């Protein structure tokens, strides 16, 4: 499903080169979940951006869902992101001018994968039934997070990339929602690669990997 081979990425900043990823190797199966751990600045977000084709590696390969992500033109990557990926960030990036239901449907509508039954199931499981005609600013942060989760799953992507998706919510309520999130991802048959600092959150995942000194290592 996702295969990363000998990936290198550096940034040039103020005339200095900083090596961030230095030979990352990584395989991820379909319908599996992985927690990506590592200290701040270790390159977790960089790795997610490269997988999504939002940035290019210096060298190495990223193979995902039949795409050569490291090499394909931007138009092919945009189509891949729309149909096969979800990105969930700490800031939920809901669209303020769209109602909650239109936010939930946004990506599924773009890739013509609306599914009324599945939509109903997500809304019920996430407890959003009474919020559908409201707008994002009228919801609490916790409710906004649930909307972001519903939106990330309705089109049944192969892979969900989540970068500290708790949005600074308190640990107890995030844990509850993240447990639900990983369960819904499984139900959708999708895979989940989630950056998190929480050991408890990481425990929900099938595997845990640590990014350190530019390389990824499995945590036993
Ligand atoms: N666009 C960029 N330009 C220059 N340096 C960057 C850029 N993005 C990230 N970095 C640097 O790369 C390192 C890894 O960043 P990041 O991937 O955001 O780490 P993490 O998500 O693990 O906290 C950091 O030292 C950061 O300052
Ligand atoms: Mg980060």
């Amino acid at each position: 499903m996702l295969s990363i081979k000998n990936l290198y990425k550096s940034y040039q900043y103020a005339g200095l080169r900083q090596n961030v990823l230095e030979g990352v190797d990584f395989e991820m199966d379909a319908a599996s979940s992985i927690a990506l751990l590592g200290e701040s600045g270790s390159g977790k977000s960089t790795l997610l951006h490269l997988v999504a084709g939002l940035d290019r590696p210096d060298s190495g390969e990223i193979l995902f869902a039949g795409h050569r992500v490291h090499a394909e033109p931007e138009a092919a990557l945009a189509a891949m992101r729309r149909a096969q990926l979800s990105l969930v960030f700490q800031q939920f990036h809901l669209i303020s001018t769209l109602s909650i239901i239109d936010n939930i449907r946004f990506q599924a509508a773009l890739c013509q994968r609306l599914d009324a039954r599945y939509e109903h199931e997500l809304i019920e499981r996430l407890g959003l039934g009474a919020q559908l005609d409201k707008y994002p600013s009228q919801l609490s942060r916790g409710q906004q997070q649930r909307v972001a989760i519903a939106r990330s799953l309705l089109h049944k992507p192969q892979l969900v990339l989540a970068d500290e998706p708790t949005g600074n919510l308190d640990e107890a309520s995030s844990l509850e929602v993240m447990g639900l999130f990983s369960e819904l991802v499984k139900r959708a048959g999708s895979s989940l690669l989630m950056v998190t600092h929480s050991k408890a959150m990481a425990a929900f995942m099938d595997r845990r990997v640590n990014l350190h000194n530019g390389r990824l290592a499995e945590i036993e």
Side-chain angles (χ1 to χ4, degrees):
M1 198 267 317
L2 173 64
S3 175
I4 296 178
K5 292 184 183 132
N6 209 20
L7 198 67
Y8 282 79
K9 175 71 182 175
S10 62
Y11 292 107
Q12 193 83 34
Y13 182 70
L16 293 172
R17 177 168 298 280
Q18 183 191 6
N19 299 317
V20 179
L21 304 180
E22 302 183 82
V24 167
D25 285 301
F26 182 59
E27 301 281 332
M28 188 172 182
D29 295 334
S32 69
S33 60
I34 298 184
L36 175 55
L37 300 137
E39 53 202 51
S40 181
S42 60
K44 304 179 298 295
S45 297
T46 297
L47 181 60
L48 259 50
H49 287 149
L50 292 173
V51 169
L54 294 167
D55 199 357
R56 302 274 179 180
D58 298 350
S59 62
E61 291 190 346
I62 303 168
L63 308 173
F64 167 66
H67 291 268
R68 293 164 52 79
V69 177
H70 55 286
E72 285 184 18
E74 177 49 34
L77 295 177
M80 171 196 86
R81 272 195 297 276
R82 197 158 57 230
Q84 305 299 352
L85 271 185
S86 264
L87 300 162
V88 186
F89 298 108
Q90 183 159 55
Q91 303 302 324
F92 305 132
H93 296 299
L94 301 180
I95 298 167
S96 60
T97 53
L98 292 182
S99 66
I100 296 308
I101 186 64
D102 287 340
N103 267 280
I104 290 171
R105 288 176 181 161
F106 188 76
Q107 194 165 354
L110 277 180
C111 59
Q112 299 177 306
R113 248 186 246 157
L114 287 168
D115 172 339
R117 262 183 64 183
Y118 185 46
E119 176 185 299
H120 183 74
E121 182 187 333
L122 284 174
I123 288 167
E124 288 299 301
R125 292 298 309 276
L126 289 159
L128 291 168
Q131 317 301 333
L132 301 178
D133 295 328
K134 294 184 184 167
Y135 286 81
S137 64
Q138 297 171 298
L139 267 54
S140 71
R141 296 274 303 152
Q143 289 169 326
Q144 290 177 21
Q145 180 189 38
R146 288 161 183 264
V147 175
I149 289 172
R151 179 184 58 184
S152 76
L153 292 174
L154 184 56
H155 65 298
K156 298 200 175 107
Q158 288 205 31
L159 176 62
V160 179
L161 298 172
D163 200 347
E164 304 185 60
T166 51
N168 296 322
L169 295 169
D170 67 88
E171 170 101 4
S173 53
S174 329
L175 265 184
E176 187 194 331
V177 181
M178 285 303 120
L180 183 54
F181 187 25
S182 58
E183 186 194 324
L184 290 170
V185 170
K186 272 212 164 67
R187 280 266 298 134
S190 304
S191 293
L192 175 62
L193 180 56
M194 181 192 284
V195 174
T196 179
H197 290 294
S198 160
K199 291 257 150 55
M201 211 90 87
F204 285 124
M205 309 289 138
D206 299 334
R207 284 166 59 197
R208 283 145 289 281
V209 295
N210 189 46
L211 187 55
H212 183 66
N213 288 341
R215 294 180 155 245
L216 261 189
E218 202 87 22
I219 302 173
E220 300 306 329

